Amino acid sequence: MSARSEPAHIEHVALDGERLHTAFVSGRGVPLLLCNDFVANLDILDEFATALGRPVLRFDLPGVGTSAEVVRMRRMPALAALLAKLLDHYGLTEPVDVMGIGWGGLLAQQFAQSQGDRVRRLVLAATASGQLMFPGRLASLVRLARPGALGRVAPDGEQARIVFGGRRNDECRQIATAFRRATAPTRRGYAAQIYALTGFSSLTWLHRLNIPTLVLAGDDDSIVPTVNARVLALLLPQARLEIIRGGGHWFVLERTEDVVRMLDEFLEAKVAISAADQNSTF
């Protein structure tokens, strides 16, 4: 699909006592529900969402971006239920495609597990299975451990490469450019995402998640090492693994064209992934 020019419909949606900042571009085709990374507001994905050239629904969780402050702390299953209500709000009753980036990949897995009849295909980017994962570089994790806007963590391409990985400063400048639109979460919003993550692991049920899945990973990711993607692809019954050579944690911003091409091939494929496809990735 080619990039589109239609503007996103921006609104604040009241759901189950919370008020979420959302951006939805309607159109032809199966909508993509996009779950963002840890405390990352939807605005940093503006160019990526536009490049997708398909209907896309983005959202900020409570306490993130311009969403209202967190009213109730929720575990991953409760957040997945909240997303189901968000789809209802937009009249998306047919199965959608779901993509999760980093922390959002955990939420995407949970949504596929507890709301499986609403998911057509699943994309997991730069993510893992939860707390039982192979950890990233300690220095990078420490930089991300303080509540604050992501723009402070990566103000330029060099700092983005140091913190998130990636082989080229010019590509990592795309991360810094996007992060200039980042806003700091509230302290309660930051705590809410930590709370949702605490105790979460998909390892015990991934083998029952029988949904065609594309697993994407950068081989220079400082936050979520590539081995985590291999674990996901090994356990998921219908998974295909794609490695972005030289890509860091935010390869969706570094290598947008490559990622969009992979998504188009996967989401528009007429034939579902077979076991042979999955095994051939190793």
Side-chain angles (χ1 to χ4, degrees), residues 35-279:
C35 305
N36 212 346
D37 206 348
F38 182 69
V39 302
N41 51 300
L42 64 83
D43 305 84
I44 70 174
L45 294 178
D46 283 350
E47 284 84 3
F48 178 67
T50 298
L52 287 169
R54 63 178 68 246
V56 178
L57 174 57
R58 292 175 286 155
F59 59 92
D60 285 335
L61 287 171
V64 175
T66 61
S67 287
E69 181 62 287
V70 180
V71 172
R72 178 165 67 88
M73 294 288 189
R74 301 167 195 257
R75 299 292 189 187
M76 285 292 181
L79 288 177
L82 193 65
L83 292 190
K85 293 180 180 180
L86 181 61
L87 294 182
D88 292 340
H89 171 82
Y90 282 103
L92 302 177
T93 56
E94 296 296 320
V96 300
D97 297 326
V98 179
M99 178 177 183
I101 303 169
W103 185 98
L106 307 181
L107 179 55
Q109 291 172 62
Q110 180 62 67
F111 187 80
Q113 193 268 343
S114 57
Q115 306 284 335
D117 59 337
R118 306 198 70 162
V119 181
R120 187 187 73 115
R121 295 189 182 181
L122 180 64
V123 180
L124 302 175
T127 193
S129 59
Q131 285 197 315
L132 298 177
M133 63 172 281
F134 293 90
R137 189 181 304 157
L138 179 60
S140 296
L141 297 175
V142 169
R143 291 275 291 273
L144 293 173
R146 301 172 183 173
L150 290 172
R152 296 181 183 178
V153 177
D156 54 44
E158 182 179 1
Q159 289 300 311
R161 182 178 59 79
I162 290 171
V163 176
F164 297 107
R167 303 251 172 94
R168 293 171 49 180
N169 281 352
D170 61 332
E171 291 179 339
C172 291
R173 276 198 292 270
Q174 303 298 324
I175 301 173
T177 298
F179 279 8
R180 291 186 189 122
R181 297 189 296 274
T183 58
T186 67
R187 289 188 175 276
R188 188 168 169 81
Y190 180 93
Q193 293 203 358
I194 294 291
Y195 178 81
L197 171 63
T198 303
F200 175 83
S201 176
S202 60
L203 287 177
T204 59
W205 45 259
L206 279 178
H207 65 285
R208 298 195 298 271
L209 205 61
N210 201 26
I211 295 172
T213 304
L214 176 63
V215 180
L216 300 172
D219 70 356
D220 198 46
D221 189 337
S222 299
I223 308 299
V224 183
T226 311
V227 63
N228 292 284
R230 296 192 181 278
V231 170
L232 293 177
L234 181 65
L235 293 177
L236 287 160
Q238 295 192 67
R240 183 170 75 210
L241 176 64
E242 293 281 359
I243 302 296
I244 289 81
R245 305 298 174 188
H249 185 68
W250 279 101
F251 58 79
V252 297
L253 301 178
E254 297 171 65
R255 305 283 185 83
T256 298
E257 287 188 9
D258 292 338
V259 174
V260 170
R261 174 182 53 79
M262 293 175 186
L263 288 176
D264 284 346
E265 291 175 356
F266 172 68
L267 297 177
E268 297 174 18
K270 303 298 183 183
V271 180
I273 295 172
S274 68
D277 292 327
Q278 188 239 342
N279 292 334

